[in-house]
Amino acid sequence: RKEVEQDPGPFNVPEGATVAFNCTYSNSASQSFFWYRQDCRKEPKLLMSVYSSGNEDGRFTAQLNRASQYISLLIRDSKLSDSATYLCVVSPRSGGSYIPTFGRGTSLIVHP
Amino acid sequence: EAQVTQNPRYLITVTGKKLTVTCSQNMNHEYMSWYRQDPGLGLRQIYYSMNVEVTDKGDVPEGYKVSRKEKRNFPLILESPSPNQTSLYFCASSPGQVTYEQYFGPGTRLTVT
């Protein structure tokens, strides 16, 4: 099992749709979880940190399920500008490690 | 403006010609790292540094060197580049260790012929 797994997509949705991505991780000792957004061949940028209690930022909601070892990202009322690749990040990889693990990303295409 | 800068942004070179990609951050971050990104493989960490004079290997360190003589700079050195090092490289910094979010530079697209 890969350490961090994401469905690569693409998820092709119309404007205004609600879309959700999941990301599963294998290391139960992971402490920190993030969602990054990456536009085509540009640098990843932090979208949200994912807290145990879940968190919401406008149209974006992130949740953590430690029991099932996955994090999720929900995007409501999708905009054309939401088209991007969404990377989940889990840190650390294993106890005592200082290496974060990136998923390979989920591609989202929002069309008119 | 808080940022991570990389230079050069684009580089085409030949096999065996030593090169250095610079990385600098102005946020006084302790943690810095280098990644390469290849289609279908995602971001893979090459090296990281938790502080000045402290560096360690990531997932794919072979063929690369780094140094951290100053807190703000973390250059990536390819002593003898090979075509399999053609990739998109990102430098990143973080205010703490691995549990904090990372801030990425704009990337360096390297082609080795």
Side-chain angles (χ1 to χ4, degrees):
Chain A
R1 180 182 177 184
K2 294 192 181 70
E3 295 188 51
V4 176
E5 290 198 67
Q6 294 183 253
D7 181 343
F11 285 64
N12 206 318
V13 303
E15 274 186 290
T18 295
V19 62
F21 312 133
N22 279 348
C23 169
T24 59
Y25 61 94
S26 59
N27 176 23
S28 60
S30 297
Q31 299 171 29
S32 301
F33 308 88
F34 306 94
W35 283 103
Y36 283 76
R37 171 194 168 125
Q38 185 175 26
D39 294 292
C40 187
R41 306 308 267 174
K42 294 199 172 180
E43 73 272 25
K45 292 185 179 179
L46 180 69
L47 179 66
M48 307 180 74
S49 301
V50 187
Y51 306 122
S52 296
S53 55
N55 50 313
E56 186 173 317
D57 183 3
R59 299 181 293 108
F60 299 84
T61 300
Q63 292 194 314
L64 167 64
N65 186 318
R66 282 194 184 273
S68 300
Q69 295 183 207
Y70 74 86
I71 62 174
S72 64
L73 177 67
L74 180 77
I75 305 175
R76 290 180 296 277
D77 188 23
S78 298
K79 312 291 184 191
L80 295 176
S81 58
D82 292 334
S83 297
T85 297
Y86 292 84
L87 309 173
C88 73
V89 184
V90 174
S91 298
R93 162 170 308 156
S94 58
S97 165
Y98 298 98
I99 301 176
T101 304
F102 282 76
R104 296 182 185 183
T106 297
S107 175
L108 172 65
I109 300 171
V110 182
H111 59 81
Chain B
E1 180 190 354
Q3 61 183 349
V4 179
T5 56
Q6 293 179 229
N7 282 291
R9 295 288 313 280
Y10 304 91
L11 179 60
I12 301 174
T13 189
V14 296
T15 299
K17 186 175 181 183
K18 181 180 178 180
L19 66 92
T20 299
V21 185
T22 64
C23 173
S24 183
Q25 51 94 4
N26 61 2
M27 296 171 279
N28 201 37
H29 285 172
E30 293 182 354
Y31 186 96
M32 296 185 74
S33 59
W34 276 102
Y35 295 88
R36 62 178 289 174
Q37 187 172 37
D38 303 289
L41 295 178
L43 278 159
R44 295 179 292 167
Q45 194 177 60
I46 302 170
Y47 269 94
Y48 66 95
S49 169
M50 291 195 291
N51 216 323
V52 175
E53 302 293 359
V54 180
T55 63
D56 213 339
K57 296 177 181 178
D59 285 325
V60 288
E62 294 78 21
Y64 304 94
K65 286 175 57 177
V66 293
S67 68
R68 188 92 181 273
K69 293 183 170 46
E70 306 165 280
K71 198 171 188 178
R72 63 182 293 130
N73 296 324
F74 191 45
L76 179 69
I77 304 156
L78 285 72
E79 295 270 5
S80 182
S82 62
N84 65 11
Q85 293 178 298
T86 292
S87 187
L88 178 58
Y89 291 86
F90 290 106
C91 179
S93 72
S94 173
Q97 293 178 1
V98 71
T99 55
Y100 291 82
E101 68 271 21
Q102 297 187 69
Y103 298 81
F104 285 82
T108 295
R109 188 175 298 278
L110 172 66
T111 301
V112 183
T113 62

